[in-house]
Amino acid sequence: MALAKLMKSNMTQIRYLFFLSLVLSVNQALSQSFNEDKTAMINFIKRMHAAAPFEGVKVLDDYDHQYFLSVLSLEKVKYKDPSTMNRVAQVKAQSQANVFFNGSTINSELVIKTTDKTEDSKTTSVVETIESIKENAMGFTQGLELLANYDNSDNTRVIFIFYRELK
């Protein structure tokens, strides 16, 4: 009787351990898949950027999802602190996303200034043109995540790739 009770207790423990190992292995497999998908997307975007460099926004489609990308580059010499560079990149990416999703208003002004100069009894006209373009955007964008940042081929700029999954 005691032997049967001991065997039943051991079988329960074995079942519990088997179930626990099954749950942990499934969880491990799912977490690896997420990182592998993210790594594959980073490598694809890097190859795409190397083939034809671009900055700005793009919408990337895969089989199951759509992703909003905001790509920008910053010069290394302008930023002494990496955290400052990362913050500037984040703000610029949010600005690009805001203009893409919410639109913007663009105003252009052209000023033409003409002056006459007299030298040695010769009068010449000097024409100077100044063009001022201003873009205003208002709105809120959220959920941009830094996907990757890496140095460009000549090591003078850092490329930042921010993304967000579109619903």
Side-chain angles (χ1 to χ4, degrees), residues 98-114:
N98 181 36
V99 169
F100 181 78
F101 288 115
N102 300 319
S104 66
T105 303
I106 300 173
N107 296 321
S108 177
E109 183 178 293
L110 181 64
V111 177
I112 301 173
K113 181 179 175 183
T114 306

Side-chain angles (χ1 to χ4, degrees), residues 96-150:
Q96 288 177 347
N98 181 36
V99 169
F100 181 78
F101 288 115
N102 300 319
S104 66
T105 303
I106 300 173
N107 296 321
S108 177
E109 183 178 293
L110 181 64
V111 177
I112 301 173
K113 181 179 175 183
T114 306
T115 55
D116 290 333
K117 289 188 177 182
T118 305
E119 285 186 25
D120 299 333
S121 71
K122 289 186 180 179
T123 304
T124 57
S125 294
V126 177
V127 179
E128 182 182 356
T129 59
I130 302 169
E131 185 174 13
S132 172
I133 300 172
K134 296 178 183 176
E135 180 178 24
N136 297 319
M138 292 176 45
F140 179 72
T141 57
Q142 64 181 3
L144 282 182
E145 180 183 337
L146 178 64
L147 182 65
N149 63 328
Y150 59 95

